[in-house]
Each structure stands twice: as structure tokens, then as C-alpha cells.
Amino acid sequence: MVQQTLVLVKPDGLVRSLTGNILSRLSESKLEIVAAKMSRVSREMAEAHYMHLEHKPFYPELIQYLQGELHDRRKVMALIYWGEDAIAKVRQIAGETNPEEASPTSIRGSFGRIRSSGLFENVIHASSSEEEAEREIKLWFEPDEIIVELYPTRREVIKELKVRQWA
Ligand code: UDP
Ligand code: MG
């Protein structure tokens, strides 16, 4: 089944210059990248991204982690991978959530660590179901930032919209 999935290179991945390595490992999936950008992560974005974990004891630190506050690197790289069984393929290459349990050849097994607090600093995020992928892709990307049609869109005329242009 053709699917799309959201990948984030988390701030620890960026700060440790792992982006190239992560992208080349993901390229082994033969999936297509259909959107990519660097994104600053506001508290609202971090909280929306991880809203399903709100009740967990590690949630406050997780929000700080995604915002880059633990690594002094306030951004992530966001990508959408698209193709046959994209969700499982990317999760496989990413590895288990806990870096100690992840296959040593996976991204998280190779580069992840557990902080002294217990938080899993695991380098990348990858959507884990079609529902999650849809929610996350719509959270991180606007329709025009994606080069294929993934979900239905509607056209709206927005009057007096103030936009920034090149001077
Ligand atoms: N996390 C953690 N401890 C846990 C579970 C999760 O630190 O016991 C962190 C970890 O960074 C993980 C993120 O919270 O990537 C989201 O958790 P989820 O269960 O969704 O794992 P994922 O989908 O990222 O594998
Ligand atoms: Mg998850």
C-alpha cells in the first residue's frame, strides 16, 4: 500500500551532524522524499506533536527536547517520505523507541542514547500509523509545501492577507 510518513531529525540529530547519515540510511528504503524543510519548533508545535503523551512523566522534558532546549539547537528537519509501505519501512530503519533495545544497525541503535533523567534521546521521529502520519503531516506542512497530492484540499480566497516578500 502506498503511504506517506513524517520524519523529524530531532535537535540531537542536528547538533551531532547526523543529518547526512540519517538521510542516506533512509534512502535505502527507496522511498521518495516529497517535502523537506527546516522548522523552528514553538512550544505549541511540540505540545501538539506529542499531545498523546501528555500524561507521561517524561512529557515536560520531551517537549523541551523537541524544542531544542536540551541541545541549544532550536530547530528540526521535517521530511515526508512516500511510497510502498512507507510507515513500516521508515520505522524499521529508525529502530525501536528505546535506543538500548533498538537494533544496533538501526538509526536509533547507532546514535540514540538515554539521558540520565531516563528520556530517550533517539535522534529521529517517524510516524507509527496512517492516522498518526496524516495528523502529523497536516501539523508540520502546508499543502503547497508538498509536491504530490496526499490529502484532499480546498481553495479559499483570503482577503487582506499580509505576507512577507523579498525586498
Ligand atoms: N520517550 C521516552 N521514554 C519512553 C517513551 C518515549 O523518552 O518511555 C520519548 C522518545 O523520545 C520517543 C518519544 O518520547 O521518541 C515519543 O514516544 P513514542 O512512544 O511515540 O515513541 P516513537 O514513536 O518515537 O518510537
Ligand atoms: Mg510515536
Side-chain angles (χ1 to χ4, degrees), residues 10 50 52-53 58 62 65 91 95-97 108 118-122 124-126 128 132:
K10 292 177 172 180
Y50 281 132
H52 57 294
L53 298 172
F58 56 83
L62 180 61
Y65 170 33
R91 291 286 294 191
E96 294 283 314
T97 308
R108 288 166 163 181
L119 187 80
F120 303 155
E121 204 179 281
N122 54 9
I124 73 166
H125 166 80
S128 61
E132 194 176 275

Side-chain angles (χ1 to χ4, degrees), residues 47-60:
E47 287 179 350
H49 181 78
Y50 281 132
M51 65 183 203
H52 57 294
L53 298 172
E54 198 180 5
H55 53 284
K56 299 280 188 189
F58 56 83
Y59 178 76

